[in-house]
Amino acid sequence: MRPVQLLPSEIDELSEKIIPHADEGEQQYNDHSGPNERQNQAGGSDSTPAFASTSTSVSASTSAEFTLSLRIPSWCGGRYRIQVNGSVLSVSEGDPGNGYVELKRVWQVGDTVDIAFEMPVLRMKGHPLIRDTIGKTALQHGPFVYCMEEADNGPQLHQVVLARECEFDVRFEPGLLGGLSVITAAAERVGSAEWQADALYANDVSWSGTPVTATFIPYYAWANRGVGEMMVWVRDSL
C-alpha cells in the first residue's frame, strides 16, 4: 500500500509530541499533538485511505523506566497497532477503558514508538431526544466530521436520504481545494412526480426515491466554492 500524505490541517490531532525528559518512574502522556512532526501519514491506496499513523521518539538524557501513555481516539473504533523500535507490541480490537494504552518499560535514548489507527467511516447519531437530529446521521472519517455541499450534490439537500447500510468510498482528490479526502455513498433523492409546482400542500400524494450518489467533504472545507447549501446531519433510511 502506498502512503498518502495528509494535509497540514488534517494532522493536528495526529502530530507527535517529543518527550523532552523522563525521570525514572515518571508517567509520560502522548496525545499525538504538538509542533514537532516526525512522521504523520495516511496509509492505504489512493482511493481508500485505511489508517493514520504517527511516530514518537524518546529523548531522555539516559535510559529510565517509566510509563508512556498513548491516547487511543474513539474514531479508530478501538483498532490500532503499536510498534516499539519496529517490533509489534500490541494489537487491540477493543478501546481501553480510560482511553489510553500504557507502556511500562525501561526506555532507551532514541527508542521510537509507532502507532497506526484504522480510519473507518462512522455513521454518528444524536441522542433520540434531540429533535433536530432524530432519524439523521453525520459521517465522521478519522477525527473529521463531513458534510454535503450543494456544489457536489445540487440544491434541496434535505431531500437526500442515505441508503441503509451503504458502503462508503473514501477517495483523495488532489485537485479539490488543494487536496481533500472525499466520501461518496449510495443515497436516494426523495420527491413526488405527482406534485403540482404551485401547490404548498397536497392530499395523499406518493413519495418516490431516485438513486443518487451523495458526496461528502470535510466540514472545515465548506463555503469555498460559492454560495450554496450545506448539510451535516443527513436523513437516514430506517
Side-chain angles (χ1 to χ4, degrees):
M1 295 184 294
R2 186 163 63 88
V4 179
Q5 192 68 32
L6 284 174
L7 294 173
S9 57
E10 293 183 304
I11 64 175
D12 288 343
E13 189 171 342
L14 302 177
S15 58
E16 59 126 6
K17 179 184 295 181
I18 301 299
I19 301 173
H21 180 73
D23 292 328
E24 188 168 349
E26 186 177 339
Q27 189 162 18
Q28 301 290 327
Y29 286 86
N30 188 314
D31 288 315
H32 323 298
S33 59
N36 302 311
E37 295 91 8
R38 177 177 180 273
Q39 178 186 6
N40 296 283
Q41 63 186 22
S45 67
D46 284 343
S47 60
T48 53
F51 63 88
S53 61
T54 185
S55 180
T56 294
S57 295
V58 176
S59 57
S61 56
T62 111
S63 61
E65 182 180 44
F66 60 89
T67 300
L68 176 63
S69 297
L70 300 171
R71 188 175 68 82
I72 307 301
S74 61
W75 49 258
C76 76
R79 296 186 290 275
Y80 56 92
R81 183 184 65 191
I82 299 173
Q83 292 179 296
V84 176
N85 297 328
S87 298
V88 176
L89 187 65
S90 172
V91 176
S92 176
E93 292 296 333
D95 193 20
N98 65 353
Y100 286 83
V101 166
E102 297 183 349
L103 308 180
K104 183 177 182 180
R105 56 182 283 147
V106 177
W107 297 93
Q108 308 295 330
V109 178
D111 280 351
T112 60
V113 179
D114 298 275
I115 182 166
F117 307 104
E118 288 193 23
M119 294 175 60
V121 177
L122 307 178
R123 298 178 77 135
M124 304 302 293
K125 313 288 185 181
H127 191 282
L129 294 183
I130 304 176
R131 291 178 174 86
D132 290 335
T133 63
I134 188 73
K136 297 180 181 179
T137 192
L139 299 188
Q140 181 175 343
H141 179 53
F144 303 103
V145 173
Y146 275 64
C147 67
M148 289 195 303
E149 248 194 323
E150 183 176 337
D152 303 305
N153 301 279
Q156 313 303 336
L157 296 180
H158 66 282
Q159 296 178 337
V160 177
V161 181
L162 274 180
R164 184 178 182 182
E165 299 180 356
C166 62
E167 294 185 1
F168 299 106
D169 180 34
V170 183
R171 183 174 300 276
F172 183 73
E173 298 287 352
L176 180 59
L177 299 176
L180 293 176
S181 291
V182 174
I183 300 174
T184 55
E188 288 187 324
R189 185 174 284 274
V190 176
S192 176
E194 306 170 16
W195 202 270
Q196 300 297 319
D198 58 350
L200 184 58
Y201 302 101
N203 177 49
D204 199 26
V205 297
S206 59
W207 301 110
S208 60
T210 301
V212 296
T213 298
T215 300
F216 297 78
I217 66 170
Y219 175 77
Y220 67 77
W222 80 280
N224 284 290
R225 294 178 290 171
V227 177
E229 297 180 35
M230 183 277 292
M231 182 170 289
V232 173
W233 291 98
V234 182
R235 294 172 60 189
D236 209 359
S237 295
L238 299 179

